[in-house]
Amino acid sequence: MPKARKRSQKRGSGAIRLSDVARRVGCSASTVSRALTMPAMISEEMRARIHAAVAELGYLRNNAAGALRSRRTRTIGAVIPTLDHAIYARLVEALQNAAGENGYSLLVTTSNFDMEREWRQSRLLVERGAEGLVLVGHTHAPELMALLAGKSIPFINTYTYRPKSAQPSVGFDNRAASAQIARYLLELGHRHFGLIVGFRRNNDRVKDRIEGVIQTLAARRIEVPDAAIVEEPYNIEGGRGGLRRLLGLRPKPTAVICGSDVLAFGAVIECEERGIAVPRQLSIAGFDDLDFASHLGRGLTTVRVPAAEMGRRAAEHLMACLDGKPHATHYPLDTSLILRNSTSPPRPARTSDGGATGRKARSR
């Protein structure tokens, strides 16, 4: 046995073949190949033995040669807006896990919410061997759509669900999701609203979430003035700046709906600095249900987005397309309204003699 180990070290990792690993483990070369490329097909005990032999012998797969033989790279690409937000990290992790379990690799890049950059980054991924792409949203540059169609590259849109579109999608109806928040705040008695959202340009998710709120309020004959819809960058400072702008309105909003939890966090921080009690003086709701939404003060009312399931379904769709297996075109997912303590009924308006008017406040 020592002699064999010395021989493997002398030959170097580049000379170790798949058959050497199979011989060490006592199985077929095809079993080793499946363990390395499609691990879900092999038992956990056998995978452990194979990976131990791979580490001992220093075996490295020659993916380039395999790709030339099969004309397959088994690589999926994903272009997401940013890696700064935990909600996209959940999507990427689920993509990676689903792809890895089926012998696929994942390449990830970001667009910074820029449609032109999304097209350039997608082109780079395709040039580097990505056989399919995961995109975010429904609005993309015409050049990107032409590239994918011309190369017959499958793709799927996430964070959106448009069953009548020819573009495959996995996600949810952003209008319906934001309408959930608006209806809840209406039920609490709010009639003066403000919105802090990301930039609408080339962002169908932002547009749809605004429309969901506006349409729900309009059905109750409540109009939201343009000045009450504030566009800000998706960061804490954007939420703080957006709230400062809303506080200058007359009448001031009693409820603020934010397009993301990050913007809502910023709004809550600005309230704390100004001595505005949330929710007693101002109700604030977010969107995403990030991990720390339940730990912010007494918790943030928000919409829970199924990011991990979205990533898994997106990977499964692309792998089915690439492997020639049956697949659907659209995958609807549900969101959930998560009620916490950043929202409550509005305080009754005060008359000149100090009495309360309007809706009777609930006892607390």
Side-chain angles (χ1 to χ4, degrees), residues 345 360-364:
K360 184 177 180 180
R362 296 181 184 178
S363 59
R364 294 181 61 82

Side-chain angles (χ1 to χ4, degrees), residues 134-195:
V134 176
L135 305 174
V136 174
H138 192 80
T139 305
H140 309 291
E143 296 88 346
L144 173 55
M145 294 295 97
L147 169 69
L148 299 179
K151 299 289 185 180
S152 298
I153 296 171
F155 71 96
I156 187 166
N157 296 326
T158 59
Y159 281 90
T160 183
Y161 175 65
R162 304 234 178 150
K164 295 182 180 180
S165 170
Q167 296 183 18
S169 65
V170 54
F172 51 92
D173 185 330
N174 282 276
R175 290 186 184 90
S178 62
Q180 287 180 290
I181 305 175
R183 282 195 298 270
Y184 171 66
L185 293 170
L186 282 169
E187 291 170 1
L188 289 179
H190 291 278
R191 296 297 181 267
H192 301 293
F193 293 83
L195 281 71

